[in-house]
Structure formats: structure tokens, C-alpha cells
Amino acid sequence: MAQPYFTRTKKQALEQYEQLLGTGKASNDLKAVVAAAYGGRIEVLFTNLDEQRWGKFDPASEEVIIHEQEKPGDDDLLNFAAIHTYLHDGTIYTLTAGEMPDGALTAALLRY
């Protein structure tokens, strides 16, 4: 029975996020989370995959541009963060909107 294990580890990660928010080791700012994911700095990502936020990320400047509606060449920034978290061996939890910490679109525990 793996379900109790995953439920427990998700709960522990959410508690750790609450404890670390405001210390620089956790963030719910989409632009900061996207840049951290690209840079391999996310240990745990919480995301609501029922939502989308369109925009672009410039790796050279680490600038994140968010658009209200999808434009040509845009990425779903929530998906972008999830992919880059996965590529850097981070853990990803997909949550419902009601489960998301602080009602955020995305949140993360940072490695550094």
C-alpha cells in the first residue's frame, strides 16, 4: 500500500513549506519558482495542473514574462516548472486548488 506513504510525505512537505515560507527557502511567486526550476534549485514543487499560466522564460537573464492569454511561442509556465523540477531530480506534487498552499498557483521548497 503505497498511498499512505505518499500521503504522509506530501503532508510533511506541505508542513515544511509552511515553516520555511518567508525564509528564502520556500516560494509561491510564479516568476521565482520558474527561474528556480530551470536552475535546478527546487527540491519539492507543488502545482495545480488544472491551471495554466502562459509566458516565456529567458535563460540568459532569468526573466519570466507572463501573458494573460497564450501568445505564439509561449510555454505553460506551470508545466515548464514541473518539467525542469523533474529533470533536476526534484519531487512534484499535483494538488487541487483547495490543497495548494496559500491558494497559490505553484509553490516550492528550494534547495538553496
Side-chain angles (χ1 to χ4, degrees):
M1 300 274 297
Q3 185 65 31
Y5 169 78
F6 289 113
T7 300
R8 184 175 62 251
T9 58
K10 177 176 73 173
K11 183 178 183 235
Q12 289 170 340
L14 285 165
E15 289 171 355
Q16 186 178 13
Y17 168 83
E18 292 294 331
Q19 292 171 353
L20 293 176
L21 191 61
T23 67
K25 295 285 283 178
S27 179
N28 61 13
D29 177 81
L30 178 59
K31 289 182 177 184
V33 169
V34 167
Y38 183 82
R41 297 187 305 266
I42 294 183
E43 184 69 32
V44 178
L45 178 72
F46 305 102
T47 192
N48 179 349
L49 290 181
D50 292 331
E51 295 286 335
Q52 295 176 321
R53 285 301 178 270
W54 298 103
K56 295 181 180 185
F57 175 73
D58 179 359
S61 66
E62 292 195 5
E63 180 183 16
V64 178
I65 299 169
I66 299 171
H67 298 134
E68 292 297 318
Q69 296 181 358
E70 182 179 10
K71 295 185 178 186
D74 276 359
D75 289 310
D76 174 0
L77 296 173
L78 300 176
N79 190 49
F80 180 94
I83 289 168
H84 285 277
T85 298
Y86 174 79
L87 290 173
H88 292 96
D89 297 322
T91 300
I92 304 163
Y93 292 106
T94 57
L95 306 174
T96 66
E99 292 176 309
M100 286 299 298
D102 308 319
L105 291 170
T106 190
L109 288 169
L110 305 174
R111 292 183 171 128
Y112 57 92

